[in-house]
Amino acid sequence: MTVLAEDRADALFHALSDRTRRDILRRVLTGEHSVSVLAAEYDMSFAAVQKHVAVLERAGLLNKRRRGREQIATGDVTAVRAVSTMLTELEQVWRGRIARIDELIAAEPTPED
């Protein structure tokens, strides 16, 4: 992976590391939501929800646009698929390592040999 790709992965996983941000992402992936409507769903200040939305936006997981006085957030399915692809690649690496360990264990002579 290039440095740019690693930075992108760091931003994605940082954004997804928080429960509130994952919940916000789930909501905006189902359709557009104003940030004020999103904020009403959480027991935190509007400013705190705005910060969570900003982290998701910087990571590229959601997009914001203005509609009058409202900020409208929409999830980016392509970015979510990128996360899924990264996780699949990591899973393949670890499955390969586990398979290699299994091979090494099977090849070890037992004490009776």
Side-chain angles (χ1 to χ4, degrees):
M1 262 191 180
T2 66
V3 173
L4 185 59
E6 289 289 346
D7 289 345
R8 171 101 167 110
D10 288 347
L12 288 168
F13 287 110
H14 168 72
L16 294 170
S17 70
D18 182 85
R19 178 180 304 171
T20 300
R21 289 193 290 267
R22 288 190 305 271
D23 190 60
I24 290 170
L25 182 60
R26 276 191 288 273
R27 290 172 189 270
V28 298
L29 284 169
T30 65
E32 294 183 336
H33 292 279
S34 74
V35 175
S36 57
V37 168
L38 288 170
E41 298 292 324
Y42 301 100
D43 188 26
M44 62 181 72
S45 70
F46 177 76
V49 173
Q50 278 185 307
K51 287 180 183 179
H52 283 301
V53 168
V55 170
L56 291 165
E57 185 178 26
R58 279 193 305 274
L61 291 164
L62 68 74
N63 300 300
K64 272 190 334 192
R65 64 179 175 78
R66 283 224 171 262
R67 183 172 64 196
R69 296 175 62 194
E70 292 182 307
Q71 293 181 29
I72 305 299
T74 308
D76 187 331
V77 175
T78 304
V80 173
R81 286 189 183 125
V83 172
S84 176
T85 300
M86 280 186 243
L87 290 173
T88 299
E89 290 169 359
L90 288 172
E91 179 184 12
Q92 289 171 350
V93 167
W94 280 104
R95 285 186 183 277
R97 289 179 180 177
I98 291 168
R100 180 66 182 134
I101 290 169
D102 288 344
E103 290 170 8
L104 291 170
I105 290 171
E108 278 188 13
T110 60
E112 294 103 29
D113 289 344

